[in-house]
């Protein structure tokens, strides 16, 4: 049986996913490089959020962005492992957002605008998981 030809949108979606996740990697690196002096320039209520971030939340952030990047690369390479990696990334996003919304209450800390980007991140992660799942079921990913 011949391999089904993936739709033309899959390649552009995979590359867009890579760019999106690389932006997440940049955000992670920028957060890791924040010095105490930089944190001290933030509003007082935000300083604790950056200074006291628990290791588990930082690890979740790393797994989310590096996992998403690796998943996008696997999607570009048309590998079925992309689905598992995207699932791991989505789970890490959930852990990270638990910290942001439940533990530190980022909405109270930063205002309602702090909701939009995390929701956008979650939606994109779910869509990438669904695309990779569809790719497996349709035979586009090996």
């Amino acid at each position: 049986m011949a391999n089904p030809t993936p739709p033309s949108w899959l390649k552009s979606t995979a590359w867009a996913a890579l760019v999106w996740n690389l932006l997440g990697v940049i955000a992670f690196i920028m957060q890791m490089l924040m010095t105490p002096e930089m944190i001290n320039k933030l509003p007082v209520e935000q300083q604790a959020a950056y200074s006291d971030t628990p290791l588990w939340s930082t690890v979740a952030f790393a797994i989310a962005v590096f996992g998403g990047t690796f998943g996008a690369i696997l999607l570009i390479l048309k590998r079925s492992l992309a689905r598992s990696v995207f699932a791991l990334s989505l789970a890490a996003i959930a852990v990270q957002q638990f910290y942001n919304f439940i533990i530190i209450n980022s909405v109270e800390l930063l205002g309602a605008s702090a909701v939009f980007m995390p929701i956008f991140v979650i939606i994109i992660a779910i869509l990438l998981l669904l695309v990779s799942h569809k790719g497996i079921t349709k035979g586009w990913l090996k």
Side-chain angles (χ1 to χ4, degrees):
M1 182 171 119
N3 291 334
T5 303
S8 58
W9 58 262
L10 185 63
K11 187 180 213 177
S12 57
T13 299
W15 281 101
L18 180 60
V19 170
W20 168 256
N21 281 287
L22 286 172
L23 290 173
V25 169
I26 291 167
F28 175 78
I29 291 169
M30 288 174 57
Q31 184 171 321
M32 293 299 96
L33 294 177
M34 284 186 77
T35 63
E37 295 78 24
M38 295 166 95
I39 292 171
N40 287 336
K41 291 180 182 177
L42 295 172
V44 176
E45 58 276 357
Q46 292 179 24
Q47 290 178 20
Y50 283 95
S51 298
D52 301 333
T53 304
L55 180 61
W56 60 266
S57 180
T58 301
V59 169
F61 188 11
I63 292 170
V65 298
F66 288 102
T69 300
F70 185 52
I73 291 167
L74 289 168
L75 193 59
I76 289 167
L77 298 173
K78 299 182 185 124
R79 300 289 182 244
S80 62
L81 183 59
R83 179 177 62 184
S84 297
V85 176
F86 282 138
L88 176 65
S89 177
L90 179 59
I93 291 167
V95 170
Q96 180 192 16
Q97 296 314 320
F98 172 80
Y99 174 74
N100 289 338
F101 289 112
I102 306 302
I103 305 292
I104 65 168
N105 193 358
S106 61
V107 175
E108 183 178 303
L109 190 64
L110 304 171
S113 64
V115 173
F116 299 116
M117 184 55 97
I119 288 174
F120 194 55
V121 167
I122 292 166
I123 290 170
I124 290 175
I126 291 169
L127 290 173
L128 290 173
L129 180 59
L130 292 173
V131 165
S132 59
H133 178 74
K134 183 173 184 168
I136 291 170
T137 60
K138 295 286 188 177
W140 306 330
L141 307 180
K142 300 175 186 87

